[in-house]
């Protein structure tokens, strides 16, 4: 086999392995839990931030690797503006086999609410504004795709 043909075959294999995937068809979000994470005391005040934990399931007939997630947190104040976001690698280079479910991913906002009152009372305060999180995914050179939207439950999370 000629060197040129071998090089072409290797290049074709590399390109095929690097193709971008349709994440909205290949992955589903499962095991979703939302709430307000207790960060602890910050500058002498209790701090709560919106949090989501989830798992990814590969519903395609092929393995998938190197998948990114971006969680965009928004307050439900009628403005629909981004409050904060959290970016993570959802699936690493080892990949996720067909039908397999990945480990738990936890995404939290750095922004939240602070107050001097006890944490549970903070959640019940009449000035408290609820939040939601929009979860986006991306594989390869494809654009970000919205995979789900979840209201942040008014529950206190310790972990």
């Amino acid at each position: 086999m000629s060197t040129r043909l071998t090089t072409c075959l290797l290049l074709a294999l590399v390109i095929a392995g690097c193709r971008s995937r349709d994440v909205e068809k290949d992955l589903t979000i499962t095991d979703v839990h939302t709430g307000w994470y207790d960060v602890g005391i910050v500058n002498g005040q209790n701090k709560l931030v919106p949090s989501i934990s989830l798992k990814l399931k590969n519903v395609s007939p092929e393995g998938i690797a190197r998948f990114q997630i971006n969680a965009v947190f928004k307050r439900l104040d009628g403005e629909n503006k981004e409050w904060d976001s959290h970016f993570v690698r959802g699936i690493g280079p080892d990949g996720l086999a067909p039908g397999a479910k990945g480990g738990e991913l936890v995404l939290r906002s750095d922004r939240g609410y602070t107050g001097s009152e006890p944490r549970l009372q903070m959640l019940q305060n009449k000035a408290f504004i609820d939040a939601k999180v929009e979860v986006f995914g991306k594989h390869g050179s494809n654009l970000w795709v919205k995979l789900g939207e979840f209201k942040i439950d008014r529950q206190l999370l310790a972990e």
Side-chain angles (χ1 to χ4, degrees):
M1 190 180 299
S2 75
T3 305
R4 177 178 267 171
L5 180 58
T6 302
T7 302
C8 287
L9 287 174
L10 285 173
L11 184 59
L13 285 173
V14 168
I15 290 171
C18 294
R19 71 177 172 86
S20 295
R21 305 281 295 273
D22 291 328
V23 296
E24 68 274 15
K25 295 177 185 171
D26 293 342
L27 295 169
T28 59
I29 294 176
T30 67
D31 304 315
V32 175
H33 301 285
T34 66
W36 293 85
Y37 178 70
D38 179 2
V39 175
I41 298 177
V42 176
N43 296 325
Q45 301 219 337
N46 295 321
K47 183 172 182 180
L48 302 176
V49 298
S51 176
I52 183 171
S53 64
L54 57 89
K55 293 182 180 180
L56 296 171
K57 182 175 182 180
N58 183 352
V59 294
S60 77
E62 301 175 43
I64 187 169
R66 293 181 173 87
F67 173 74
Q68 302 167 7
I69 288 186
N70 193 27
V72 177
F73 295 92
K74 296 180 177 183
R75 293 183 348 149
L76 296 175
D77 58 4
E79 293 187 21
N80 203 34
K81 289 184 183 176
E82 181 177 323
W83 192 22
D84 199 12
S85 63
H86 188 152
F87 174 81
V88 296
R89 180 172 61 183
I91 301 172
D94 293 339
L96 190 59
K101 199 184 281 189
E104 182 179 62
L105 301 170
V106 178
L107 301 113
R108 293 191 177 115
S109 171
D110 287 330
R111 298 186 75 184
Y113 295 117
T114 57
S116 58
E117 58 193 351
R119 291 154 182 91
L120 285 175
Q121 285 183 5
M122 288 174 66
L123 293 175
Q124 298 167 355
N125 188 308
K126 65 179 180 176
F128 188 91
I129 298 174
D130 288 308
K132 70 177 179 179
V133 60
E134 296 175 348
V135 180
F136 295 87
K138 181 180 185 312
H139 185 266
S141 62
N142 283 351
L143 298 175
W144 289 97
V145 175
K146 188 174 182 179
L147 299 175
E149 182 174 314
F150 307 93
K151 185 176 184 292
I152 303 296
D153 292 330
R154 268 206 204 190
Q155 66 178 349
L156 192 59
L157 302 175
E159 48 181 78

